[in-house]
Amino acid sequence: MAEHLKLRDVSVHYGAFTAAHNVSLSLQAGEIGCLLGPSGCGKTTLLRAIGSFEPLSAGEISLQGSTISGVGNTLPPEQRQVGMVFQDFALFPHLDVGRNVDFGLSHMKRSQRAARVSDMLELVGLGQSGKAYPHELSGGQQQRVALARALAPKPRIVLLDEPFSGLDSELREQLAGEVRQLLQRNQMTALLVTHDQHEAFAMADQITLINGGTVVQSGTPDDLYHRPIDAFTAGFIGEGAVIAVQVNGDGTLDFGLGLLQAPVAAQYAGRSAGLLLRPTDIAYAAHSSVSLPVAARAFRGAQYLYQLQLPDGQLILCLAPVSTNVSVGGLLPVSCHLDAFSLFEPS
């Protein structure tokens, strides 16, 4: 199957500064992708390059098999058929909701435009809000209007630049899931930019993790969470800690919670490595012979998230029932249960 969107060895420079270097990725038709990474990593630059707002220094971008960007050869934004949802929604405050959605439909007949606006507002659950003004809507409703406006011209792809960043954390994840359903219902290919892994997990089929302008790892959310390629990915995706462990000659790991057999550790035999431990890998065990001091804890409703100190001073996380109720400075009996081992070169 041919790629719907393809970036091949894309680089973007601002003078001597490299914002993106040698980035390659692809999306199939109907797939939702995500550029994920910390602030300043280059993900928004890449999105802007796809939208024709940034020229390429190297590489090529194609959409549905046609080149839309190359070095010195950039198709203008209005010819790309790309829908954009901006971080601040960019709604026109002097236009009501219906006219905001109608803004990009000048190429259609009046009756077609009215029908399309009505369809889009119904799609995003705002069928009765066409005469309202943006300031009369909640943040979540404004976000839906921005999405309806982006979808109305039937673009070939929708680009979403940190579209939930102005909303509170609970609403962000909820809306990410809702937007995913809307895009799938409309059979749209989309690319999201965010620094929030929860938004990425709630919305994306494929995630490309960016750091320092380069691709660190691409894959499904499950790939990045359970099979991180390096310590940066392990630390950025999900909660957890990468701790230093000693790998014995027989492939066992020694790190203060007893010896663990790790067949994948052969390449580290006789030296140290970094081991990823998720909070779910460390379990409360009332009758365990190993108890670790609690360095900190956070209330999570039905659970506590404990920060525990290993004998060598390193810190790990443990999710335990709220009934454990061990205070900071107390000892929590635990055991280690690793279904998969993620080992890295020591940092």
Side-chain angles (χ1 to χ4, degrees), residues 38-341:
S39 297
C41 72
K43 56 189 185 295
T44 295
T45 295
L46 289 167
L47 197 78
R48 288 175 58 82
I50 298 168
S52 189
F53 302 111
E54 300 291 348
L56 302 189
S57 304
E60 183 180 87
I61 302 174
S62 61
L63 189 59
Q64 291 182 319
S66 300
T67 300
I68 60 173
S69 279
V71 180
N73 179 28
T74 300
L75 194 68
E78 63 272 14
Q79 296 181 26
R80 295 192 176 203
Q81 294 178 274
V82 170
M84 287 288 300
V85 178
F86 297 96
Q87 184 171 348
D88 59 358
F89 311 141
L91 299 177
F92 300 109
H94 63 288
L95 298 181
D96 63 29
V97 164
R99 286 183 292 169
N100 263 282
V101 176
D102 177 69
F103 186 78
L105 303 180
S106 58
H107 61 288
M108 298 171 62
K109 295 179 180 179
R110 184 183 296 272
S111 59
Q112 293 175 322
R113 291 168 66 172
R116 185 63 176 166
V117 169
S118 177
D119 288 346
M120 288 298 96
L121 291 179
E122 288 292 338
L123 180 70
V124 298
L126 293 172
Q128 306 302 314
S129 301
K131 296 300 182 182
Y133 284 83
H135 72 271
E136 298 175 307
L137 304 179
S138 68
Q141 290 172 322
Q142 290 182 45
Q143 190 270 342
R144 291 186 179 93
V145 175
L147 181 63
R149 184 178 63 183
L151 292 175
K154 299 183 179 179
R156 295 192 288 175
I157 190 170
V158 175
L159 307 179
L160 303 105
D161 185 11
E162 299 272 7
F164 314 108
S165 61
L167 308 174
D168 65 71
S169 57
E170 286 188 17
L171 186 58
R172 284 203 302 266
E173 192 171 347
Q174 173 190 332
L175 282 176
E178 291 179 4
V179 169
R180 174 180 171 82
Q181 292 178 356
L182 288 171
L183 290 169
Q184 288 180 320
R185 197 179 310 158
N186 225 41
Q187 298 181 319
M188 286 301 307
T189 308
L191 184 63
L192 165 74
V193 157
T194 183
H195 64 277
D196 188 315
Q197 60 176 298
H198 300 295
E199 290 176 19
F201 286 176
M203 191 166 166
D205 301 304
Q206 295 286 330
I207 296 174
T208 299
L209 182 62
I210 307 286
N211 190 37
T214 63
V215 174
V216 180
Q217 184 174 351
S218 291
T220 66
D222 184 76
D223 288 336
L224 270 66
Y225 185 88
H226 289 109
R227 291 171 289 280
I229 198 170
D230 61 11
F232 172 79
T233 306
F236 194 86
I237 300 293
E239 290 181 302
V242 177
I243 64 168
V245 298
Q246 183 62 36
V247 183
N248 299 321
D250 61 358
T252 55
L253 305 180
D254 187 2
F255 65 107
L257 281 176
L259 293 179
L260 292 177
Q261 187 69 44
V264 297
Q267 68 187 86
Y268 301 100
R271 59 191 184 96
S272 63
L275 172 68
L276 171 62
L277 289 177
R278 300 288 190 195
T280 51
D281 295 329
I282 308 300
Y284 167 71
H287 303 293
S288 174
S289 60
V290 177
S291 292
L292 298 178
V294 175
R297 71 174 186 177
F299 181 64
R300 294 287 181 89
Q303 296 173 311
Y304 277 120
L305 177 65
Y306 287 102
Q307 190 177 58
L308 306 175
Q309 188 173 33
L310 294 171
D312 62 4
Q314 296 187 92
L315 298 172
I316 60 175
L317 299 174
C318 170
L319 276 174
V322 71
S323 58
T324 55
N325 197 25
V326 177
S327 301
V328 172
L331 294 174
L332 185 73
V334 295
S335 59
C336 183
H337 303 277
L338 274 173
D339 294 325
F341 289 88

Side-chain angles (χ1 to χ4, degrees), residues 3-5 25-29 31-33 157 189-191 206:
E3 294 95 346
H4 188 89
L5 171 71
L25 64 90
S26 63
L27 286 178
Q28 304 294 331
E31 195 170 37
I32 301 173
I157 190 170
T189 308
L191 184 63
Q206 295 286 330

